[in-house]
């Protein structure tokens, strides 16, 4: 995405749809190796009064020249400070795969610091924090790492067959895999004052249903889950259905405030 999409005052956020006085603000967190543009199509399936923002991690798109974050603290710390001023009304965080962990950590840091946080957390294709397991793929040779990216599918898999694109995305893929592994070794569960919905693929072998449903322990009384056909990137072919489900939940969120 271009710098013109950047939210004023921060390099961390891109505006996918600006809305004066939004009914709800949705902040989207990309997967490992992913970018803000992954969510570009989402506004078409959301009510017109929902503002949509996407997180831009360092080391990709217009931040390609910046070093990738080395661990979750380096990523979620400054991102929390960037997101905090936007939590001025009904707010939702959505994250897929690694993005679900990042969204959770940002929500956790906001709560721990006494700042307003999201009303709801929407996680996708990701085990609960206390159920994560390190893969150690971030330290493996390129061919082993890329084989796993291809196995999982998704938009990055197609880019791996284009040499120029591979050169651009490989550093962020490897950095994110390393970040995910280091996070899995120290992640803990903390109940949060929000509602939580978990989405998952019925055939996602890396995140089986029981590990995703364990997110209920973050918000025991306000938890929901929904399964879709497919594997880890079920979100790609079912994007419209997932986002329409999110739209309904955000509408109920705004009505309850």
């Amino acid at each position: 995405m271009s710098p013109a999409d950047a939210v004023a005052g921060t390099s961390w956020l891109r505006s996918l749809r600006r809305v004066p006085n939004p009914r709800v603000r949705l902040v989207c967190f990309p997967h490992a190796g992913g970018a803000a543009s992954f969510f570009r199509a989402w506004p078409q399936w959301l009510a017109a009064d929902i503002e949509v923002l996407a997180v831009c991690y360092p080391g990709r798109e217009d931040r390609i020249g910046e070093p990738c974050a080395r661990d979750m603290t380096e990523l979620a710390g400054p991102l929390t400070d960037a997101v905090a001023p936007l939590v001025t009304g009904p707010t939702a965080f959505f994250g897929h795969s690694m993005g679900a962990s990042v969204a959770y950590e940002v929500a956790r840091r906001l709560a721990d610091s006494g700042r307003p946080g999201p009303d709801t957390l929407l996680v996708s294709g990701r085990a609960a924090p206390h159920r994560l397991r390190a893969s150690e793929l971030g330290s493996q040779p390129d061919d082993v790492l890329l084989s796993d990216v291809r196995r999982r599918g998704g938009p990055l898999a197609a880019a791996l067959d284009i040499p120029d694109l591979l050169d651009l995305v490989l550093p962020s893929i490897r950095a994110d895999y390393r970040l995910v592994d280091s996070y899995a070794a120290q992640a803990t569960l903390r109940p949060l004052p929000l509602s939580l919905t978990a989405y998952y693929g019925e055939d996602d072998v890396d995140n089986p249903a029981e590990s995703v449903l364990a997110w209920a322990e973050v918000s025991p009384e306000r938890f929901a889950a929904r399964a879709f056909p497919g594997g880890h990137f079920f979100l790609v072919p079912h994007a419209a259905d997932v986002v329409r489900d999110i739209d309904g939940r955000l509408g109920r969120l705004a009505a309850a405030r």
Side-chain angles (χ1 to χ4, degrees):
M1 299 183 73
S2 74
D5 299 309
V7 173
T10 178
S11 61
W12 287 93
L13 295 160
R14 301 292 173 267
S15 177
L16 304 185
R17 181 167 66 194
R18 292 182 173 90
V19 177
N21 302 312
R23 181 167 55 115
V24 183
R25 182 170 281 128
L26 174 64
V27 184
C28 302
F29 296 72
H31 51 279
S37 57
F38 179 74
F39 301 101
R40 188 186 293 276
W42 280 35
Q44 66 182 305
W45 300 305
L46 291 163
D49 55 0
I50 295 176
E51 185 168 84
V52 188
L53 305 166
V55 171
C56 181
Y57 303 138
R60 59 217 79 194
E61 293 192 329
D62 56 291
R63 300 185 70 186
I64 192 71
E66 300 178 39
C68 296
R70 293 168 295 182
D71 55 40
M72 184 62 81
T73 298
E74 193 172 295
L75 183 62
L79 183 49
T80 299
D81 292 335
V83 170
L86 299 172
V87 187
T88 57
T91 304
F93 289 175
F94 173 91
H96 180 68
S97 193
M98 182 186 87
S101 293
V102 181
Y104 162 75
E105 284 295 327
V106 171
R108 178 176 177 163
R109 281 164 168 76
L110 289 170
D112 288 346
S113 64
R115 290 176 285 184
D119 299 89
T120 189
L121 179 61
L122 308 159
V123 298
S124 169
R126 188 68 166 159
H130 57 306
R131 298 293 297 275
L132 292 170
R133 298 291 182 270
S135 70
E136 307 300 337
L137 285 164
S139 59
Q140 296 297 313
D142 288 352
D143 60 331
V144 176
L145 175 61
L146 297 178
S147 177
D148 187 71
V149 176
R150 289 189 174 92
R151 178 185 63 82
R152 292 171 183 260
L156 282 175
L160 304 184
D161 296 323
I162 305 171
D164 288 346
L165 285 179
L166 176 59
D167 290 343
L168 287 175
V169 301
L170 182 56
S172 63
I173 293 172
R174 181 174 294 284
D176 288 354
Y177 268 66
R178 286 174 172 165
L179 184 151
V180 165
D181 278 345
S182 67
Y183 177 67
Q186 52 88 34
T188 58
L189 180 139
R190 182 210 196 279
L192 293 172
L194 43 68
S195 63
L196 195 151
T197 300
Y199 300 93
Y200 63 98
E202 295 171 338
D203 302 315
D204 186 352
V205 298
D206 299 295
N207 299 280
E210 61 270 19
S211 70
V212 177
L213 296 177
W215 279 102
E217 296 180 51
V218 174
S219 181
E221 296 181 4
R222 294 188 289 163
F223 175 76
R226 184 170 176 187
F228 286 84
H232 187 61
F233 275 99
F234 72 92
L235 185 59
V236 174
H238 297 289
D241 291 334
V242 173
V243 179
R244 287 181 182 124
D245 185 86
I246 291 171
D247 182 69
R249 296 179 191 277
L250 298 188
R252 293 188 290 274
L253 164 66
R257 280 288 292 256

